[in-house]
Amino acid sequence: MQIIIAGGGKVGAHLASQLCGDGEKVTIIENHHEAIARLRRTCPECTVIEGSATDPLVLERAGVHMADALAVVTGDDEVNLVIAMLGKMEFAVPRVISRVNDPANAWMFTPANGVDVAINQAEITVRFIHEGMNLRDMFTLMKLGRDEHSIVQATVNPGSKVDGASLADIAFPAQTIVVAVERGDNLTVPNGRTVLRAGDEAILFCSREGRDAIRRLFA
């Protein structure tokens, strides 16, 4: 894939390093000289373009017409929104992902404004802290869709209802699928004969209503 990252700060640099390590073709747009020098040292596999991604000419220099995805990760929400709208509406980039710095601005980062996926850092942090305080051994890894289906990770506690039971014999709530089971260093794709043991980590797809039932099963 050909990916453009708008913003070469800590988030952009880390993202670029990860993507380049995965073999993706990455171009970073950054307008601060010190950051550009650092990016060229730390991300030598990436192409670094000097300029502002709010300028259509700079986006064209970065190859926006050929980009498969545009990741907008500056520290300014107004700038991020302008870049996202340019990428989607002016250049028809197939996938536009934007960072949201201030949760009060999250309502603007929608497909109607050019953002396919909005990453609200504050919301993600709050969600994980809330999960950690209230659900203890179950964490929401990802929420999917507007009906709030989720992918959750649940730990099998000793003596719980699922400890020692095969998946076929467990009364999971409706719309629940066990996607994977991690035991030690081994991750397996389970079937109905898979038996859960204390300490196992199960990855499940479930509805919002099913999350509490799953927590009770694993607790």
Side-chain angles (χ1 to χ4, degrees), residues 38-110:
R38 174 176 45 78
L39 287 166
R40 287 176 174 157
R41 289 195 309 271
T42 59
C43 303
E45 306 90 350
C46 302
T47 301
V48 181
I49 301 292
E50 183 173 357
S52 171
T54 59
D55 184 342
L57 294 178
V58 173
L59 286 170
E60 289 182 342
R61 264 200 300 136
V64 69
H65 290 294
M66 298 178 291
D68 298 298
L70 169 63
V72 189
V73 294
T74 82
D76 187 316
D77 283 343
E78 291 183 1
V79 170
N80 287 351
L81 199 58
V82 169
I83 297 169
M85 293 177 73
L86 275 173
K88 178 62 71 175
M89 298 175 184
E90 182 70 21
F91 297 108
V93 177
R95 197 72 169 163
V96 177
I97 303 97
S98 180
R99 171 186 180 184
V100 181
N101 298 279
D102 184 346
N105 295 330
W107 65 274
M108 296 186 292
F109 288 77
T110 65

Side-chain angles (χ1 to χ4, degrees), residues 24-218:
E24 309 293 358
K25 185 176 180 181
V26 177
T27 299
I28 311 169
I29 301 174
E30 174 56 53
N31 61 355
H32 291 96
H33 296 297
E34 292 182 3
I36 290 168
R38 174 176 45 78
L39 287 166
R40 287 176 174 157
R41 289 195 309 271
T42 59
C43 303
E45 306 90 350
C46 302
T47 301
V48 181
I49 301 292
E50 183 173 357
S52 171
T54 59
D55 184 342
L57 294 178
V58 173
L59 286 170
E60 289 182 342
R61 264 200 300 136
V64 69
H65 290 294
M66 298 178 291
D68 298 298
L70 169 63
V72 189
V73 294
T74 82
D76 187 316
D77 283 343
E78 291 183 1
V79 170
N80 287 351
L81 199 58
V82 169
I83 297 169
M85 293 177 73
L86 275 173
K88 178 62 71 175
M89 298 175 184
E90 182 70 21
F91 297 108
V93 177
R95 197 72 169 163
V96 177
I97 303 97
S98 180
R99 171 186 180 184
V100 181
N101 298 279
D102 184 346
N105 295 330
W107 65 274
M108 296 186 292
F109 288 77
T110 65
N113 287 328
V115 180
D116 295 306
V117 179
I119 308 299
N120 185 339
Q121 294 176 303
E123 174 64 25
I124 292 170
T125 302
V126 168
R127 183 187 305 166
F128 272 96
I129 291 173
H130 183 263
E131 296 282 350
M133 288 191 298
N134 294 297
L135 301 181
R136 296 183 182 176
D137 295 312
M138 193 176 84
F139 296 88
T140 300
L141 302 177
M142 182 183 298
K143 288 190 176 180
L144 305 170
R146 295 186 179 181
D147 55 355
E148 294 197 22
H149 281 73
S150 302
I151 297 176
V152 302
Q153 177 176 319
T155 302
V156 178
N157 280 289
S160 63
K161 294 179 180 178
V162 299
D163 184 11
S166 63
L167 294 182
D169 295 329
I170 299 171
F172 286 111
Q175 301 184 54
T176 298
I177 299 171
V178 182
V179 179
V181 175
E182 183 176 6
R183 180 174 298 161
D185 295 328
N186 297 317
L187 185 71
T188 61
V189 177
N191 55 45
R193 297 186 301 275
T194 301
V195 176
L196 297 179
R197 304 292 184 193
D200 287 353
E201 301 283 351
I203 310 297
L204 308 95
F205 172 84
C206 65
S207 67
R208 178 177 58 182
E209 295 78 11
R211 292 171 67 231
D212 285 341
I214 290 171
R215 178 175 57 84
R216 290 192 294 269
L217 285 171
F218 282 76

